[in-house]
Short mmCIF file of all heavy atoms in Angstrom, two decimals:
data_model
loop_
_atom_site.label_atom_id
_atom_site.label_comp_id
_atom_site.label_asym_id
_atom_site.label_seq_id
_atom_site.Cartn_x
_atom_site.Cartn_y
_atom_site.Cartn_z
N ARG W 233 44.85 125.72 92.48
CA ARG W 233 45.29 126.78 91.56
C ARG W 233 45.75 126.19 90.22
O ARG W 233 45.54 126.79 89.16
CB ARG W 233 46.39 127.60 92.20
CG ARG W 233 45.92 128.45 93.38
CD ARG W 233 47.08 129.21 93.99
NE ARG W 233 46.70 129.89 95.21
CZ ARG W 233 46.21 131.12 95.27
NH1 ARG W 233 46.02 131.80 94.15
NH2 ARG W 233 45.91 131.68 96.43
N GLU W 234 46.39 125.03 90.26
CA GLU W 234 46.83 124.42 89.01
C GLU W 234 45.64 123.94 88.20
O GLU W 234 45.64 124.02 86.96
CB GLU W 234 47.80 123.28 89.29
CG GLU W 234 49.13 123.74 89.89
CD GLU W 234 49.86 124.74 89.00
OE1 GLU W 234 50.03 124.46 87.80
OE2 GLU W 234 50.26 125.81 89.51
N ARG W 235 44.61 123.44 88.86
CA ARG W 235 43.39 123.07 88.13
C ARG W 235 42.74 124.30 87.50
O ARG W 235 42.26 124.25 86.36
CB ARG W 235 42.41 122.38 89.07
CG ARG W 235 42.81 120.96 89.42
CD ARG W 235 41.62 120.12 89.77
NE ARG W 235 41.93 118.70 89.66
CZ ARG W 235 41.04 117.73 89.56
NH1 ARG W 235 39.75 118.03 89.54
NH2 ARG W 235 41.41 116.47 89.46
N THR W 236 42.74 125.39 88.24
CA THR W 236 42.17 126.63 87.70
C THR W 236 42.95 127.11 86.49
O THR W 236 42.37 127.55 85.49
CB THR W 236 42.14 127.71 88.79
OG1 THR W 236 41.32 127.27 89.88
CG2 THR W 236 41.59 129.02 88.24
N ARG W 237 44.28 127.02 86.58
CA ARG W 237 45.10 127.45 85.44
C ARG W 237 44.79 126.63 84.19
O ARG W 237 44.63 127.19 83.10
CB ARG W 237 46.59 127.32 85.78
CG ARG W 237 47.47 127.45 84.57
CD ARG W 237 48.88 127.89 84.84
NE ARG W 237 49.70 126.95 85.56
CZ ARG W 237 51.01 127.14 85.77
NH1 ARG W 237 51.61 128.22 85.31
NH2 ARG W 237 51.72 126.25 86.45
N LEU W 238 44.69 125.33 84.34
CA LEU W 238 44.40 124.49 83.18
C LEU W 238 43.02 124.78 82.61
O LEU W 238 42.81 124.74 81.39
CB LEU W 238 44.52 123.01 83.56
CG LEU W 238 45.95 122.50 83.73
CD1 LEU W 238 45.94 121.06 84.23
CD2 LEU W 238 46.72 122.60 82.42
N GLN W 239 42.05 125.07 83.48
CA GLN W 239 40.71 125.38 82.98
C GLN W 239 40.68 126.73 82.27
O GLN W 239 40.09 126.86 81.18
CB GLN W 239 39.71 125.37 84.13
CG GLN W 239 38.28 125.65 83.68
CD GLN W 239 37.27 125.52 84.81
OE1 GLN W 239 37.64 125.36 85.97
NE2 GLN W 239 36.00 125.57 84.48
N GLU W 240 41.32 127.73 82.84
CA GLU W 240 41.25 129.07 82.28
C GLU W 240 42.05 129.21 80.98
O GLU W 240 41.61 129.87 80.04
CB GLU W 240 41.75 130.09 83.30
CG GLU W 240 40.81 130.26 84.49
CD GLU W 240 41.31 131.29 85.49
OE1 GLU W 240 42.48 131.71 85.38
OE2 GLU W 240 40.54 131.65 86.39
N TRP W 241 43.23 128.60 80.94
CA TRP W 241 44.10 128.78 79.78
C TRP W 241 43.92 127.71 78.71
O TRP W 241 44.20 127.95 77.54
CB TRP W 241 45.55 128.82 80.22
CG TRP W 241 45.93 130.10 80.88
CD1 TRP W 241 45.80 130.42 82.20
CD2 TRP W 241 46.46 131.26 80.25
NE1 TRP W 241 46.24 131.72 82.43
CE2 TRP W 241 46.65 132.25 81.23
CE3 TRP W 241 46.81 131.56 78.93
CZ2 TRP W 241 47.17 133.51 80.96
CZ3 TRP W 241 47.35 132.82 78.65
CH2 TRP W 241 47.51 133.78 79.66
N TRP W 242 43.47 126.52 79.12
CA TRP W 242 43.42 125.41 78.17
C TRP W 242 42.05 124.74 78.09
O TRP W 242 41.88 123.81 77.30
CB TRP W 242 44.46 124.35 78.58
CG TRP W 242 45.87 124.81 78.43
CD1 TRP W 242 46.60 125.51 79.35
CD2 TRP W 242 46.73 124.61 77.30
NE1 TRP W 242 47.86 125.77 78.87
CE2 TRP W 242 47.96 125.22 77.61
CE3 TRP W 242 46.57 123.96 76.08
CZ2 TRP W 242 49.04 125.20 76.73
CZ3 TRP W 242 47.64 123.95 75.19
CH2 TRP W 242 48.85 124.57 75.52
N ASP W 243 41.12 125.16 78.91
CA ASP W 243 39.79 124.55 78.94
C ASP W 243 39.87 123.05 79.26
O ASP W 243 39.12 122.24 78.73
CB ASP W 243 39.06 124.76 77.60
CG ASP W 243 37.55 124.58 77.74
OD1 ASP W 243 37.02 124.79 78.85
OD2 ASP W 243 36.90 124.22 76.73
N ILE W 244 40.80 122.71 80.15
CA ILE W 244 40.99 121.33 80.57
C ILE W 244 40.40 121.16 81.96
O ILE W 244 40.77 121.87 82.90
CB ILE W 244 42.49 120.95 80.59
CG1 ILE W 244 43.05 120.93 79.17
CG2 ILE W 244 42.71 119.60 81.27
CD1 ILE W 244 44.55 120.73 79.12
N THR W 245 39.48 120.19 82.09
CA THR W 245 38.84 119.95 83.39
C THR W 245 38.83 118.48 83.79
O THR W 245 38.37 118.15 84.88
CB THR W 245 37.39 120.46 83.38
OG1 THR W 245 36.66 119.77 82.35
CG2 THR W 245 37.33 121.96 83.12
N THR W 246 39.35 117.60 82.93
CA THR W 246 39.32 116.17 83.23
C THR W 246 40.65 115.54 82.86
O THR W 246 41.40 116.08 82.00
CB THR W 246 38.21 115.45 82.44
OG1 THR W 246 38.53 115.49 81.04
CG2 THR W 246 36.86 116.09 82.69
N PRO W 247 40.97 114.38 83.43
CA PRO W 247 42.19 113.67 83.02
C PRO W 247 42.21 113.34 81.54
O PRO W 247 43.26 113.40 80.89
CB PRO W 247 42.16 112.40 83.88
CG PRO W 247 41.36 112.77 85.08
CD PRO W 247 40.32 113.71 84.58
N GLU W 248 41.05 112.99 80.98
CA GLU W 248 40.99 112.64 79.56
C GLU W 248 41.35 113.84 78.69
O GLU W 248 42.08 113.71 77.70
CB GLU W 248 39.59 112.13 79.21
CG GLU W 248 39.22 110.80 79.85
CD GLU W 248 38.90 110.92 81.34
OE1 GLU W 248 38.54 112.04 81.78
OE2 GLU W 248 39.02 109.90 82.04
N GLU W 249 40.84 115.02 79.05
CA GLU W 249 41.16 116.22 78.28
C GLU W 249 42.63 116.56 78.41
O GLU W 249 43.27 117.00 77.43
CB GLU W 249 40.29 117.39 78.76
CG GLU W 249 38.83 117.24 78.41
CD GLU W 249 37.94 118.28 79.06
OE1 GLU W 249 38.41 118.95 80.03
OE2 GLU W 249 36.78 118.43 78.64
N TRP W 250 43.19 116.38 79.60
CA TRP W 250 44.62 116.63 79.78
C TRP W 250 45.45 115.69 78.91
O TRP W 250 46.38 116.13 78.22
CB TRP W 250 45.00 116.49 81.25
CG TRP W 250 46.48 116.52 81.48
CD1 TRP W 250 47.29 117.61 81.40
CD2 TRP W 250 47.33 115.41 81.80
NE1 TRP W 250 48.61 117.26 81.67
CE2 TRP W 250 48.65 115.92 81.90
CE3 TRP W 250 47.10 114.05 82.01
CZ2 TRP W 250 49.73 115.09 82.22
CZ3 TRP W 250 48.17 113.23 82.32
CH2 TRP W 250 49.47 113.74 82.42
N ARG W 251 45.14 114.41 78.94
CA ARG W 251 45.91 113.44 78.16
C ARG W 251 45.79 113.71 76.66
O ARG W 251 46.77 113.60 75.91
CB ARG W 251 45.47 112.01 78.48
CG ARG W 251 45.85 111.58 79.89
CD ARG W 251 45.59 110.11 80.14
NE ARG W 251 46.01 109.74 81.50
CZ ARG W 251 45.20 109.67 82.54
NH1 ARG W 251 43.89 109.91 82.38
NH2 ARG W 251 45.65 109.36 83.74
N ASP W 252 44.61 114.09 76.22
CA ASP W 252 44.42 114.40 74.80
C ASP W 252 45.24 115.62 74.40
O ASP W 252 45.92 115.62 73.36
CB ASP W 252 42.93 114.65 74.52
CG ASP W 252 42.68 115.05 73.07
OD1 ASP W 252 42.87 114.20 72.19
OD2 ASP W 252 42.33 116.22 72.83
N THR W 253 45.22 116.66 75.21
CA THR W 253 45.99 117.87 74.91
C THR W 253 47.48 117.58 74.94
O THR W 253 48.23 118.04 74.07
CB THR W 253 45.65 118.98 75.92
OG1 THR W 253 44.25 119.27 75.86
CG2 THR W 253 46.43 120.25 75.63
N LEU W 254 47.92 116.82 75.93
CA LEU W 254 49.33 116.49 76.04
C LEU W 254 49.79 115.71 74.81
O LEU W 254 50.87 115.98 74.25
CB LEU W 254 49.58 115.69 77.31
CG LEU W 254 51.02 115.26 77.60
CD1 LEU W 254 51.94 116.47 77.68
CD2 LEU W 254 51.09 114.45 78.89
N GLU W 255 49.00 114.75 74.37
CA GLU W 255 49.36 113.96 73.19
C GLU W 255 49.44 114.83 71.95
O GLU W 255 50.35 114.68 71.12
CB GLU W 255 48.35 112.83 72.99
CG GLU W 255 48.61 111.96 71.77
CD GLU W 255 49.98 111.30 71.78
OE1 GLU W 255 50.46 110.92 72.88
OE2 GLU W 255 50.57 111.15 70.68
N ARG W 256 48.51 115.75 71.80
CA ARG W 256 48.53 116.65 70.64
C ARG W 256 49.76 117.55 70.66
O ARG W 256 50.37 117.82 69.61
CB ARG W 256 47.25 117.48 70.60
CG ARG W 256 45.99 116.67 70.30
CD ARG W 256 44.76 117.54 70.33
NE ARG W 256 44.82 118.57 69.28
CZ ARG W 256 44.12 119.69 69.29
NH1 ARG W 256 43.31 119.95 70.31
NH2 ARG W 256 44.22 120.55 68.31
N LEU W 257 50.16 118.00 71.84
CA LEU W 257 51.37 118.81 71.94
C LEU W 257 52.62 117.99 71.62
O LEU W 257 53.51 118.43 70.89
CB LEU W 257 51.49 119.41 73.34
CG LEU W 257 50.50 120.53 73.69
CD1 LEU W 257 50.56 120.85 75.17
CD2 LEU W 257 50.78 121.78 72.86
N LEU W 258 52.69 116.79 72.16
CA LEU W 258 53.85 115.94 71.92
C LEU W 258 53.96 115.54 70.45
O LEU W 258 55.06 115.28 69.95
CB LEU W 258 53.77 114.69 72.80
CG LEU W 258 54.00 114.91 74.29
CD1 LEU W 258 53.61 113.67 75.08
CD2 LEU W 258 55.46 115.29 74.56
N SER W 259 52.83 115.50 69.76
CA SER W 259 52.82 115.16 68.33
C SER W 259 52.88 116.40 67.45
O SER W 259 52.78 116.30 66.22
CB SER W 259 51.55 114.36 68.00
OG SER W 259 51.47 113.18 68.78
#
Side-chain angles (χ1 to χ4, degrees):
R233 292 178 187 271
E234 293 302 309
R235 285 207 161 199
T236 299
R237 167 156 68 173
L238 286 175
Q239 181 175 8
E240 290 181 349
W241 285 87
W242 293 85
D243 199 26
I244 292 173
T245 59
T246 66
E248 293 74 23
E249 290 172 344
W250 171 73
R251 291 188 178 97
D252 177 68
T253 301
L254 181 59
E255 179 58 35
R256 292 178 63 200
L257 289 170
L258 289 168
S259 302

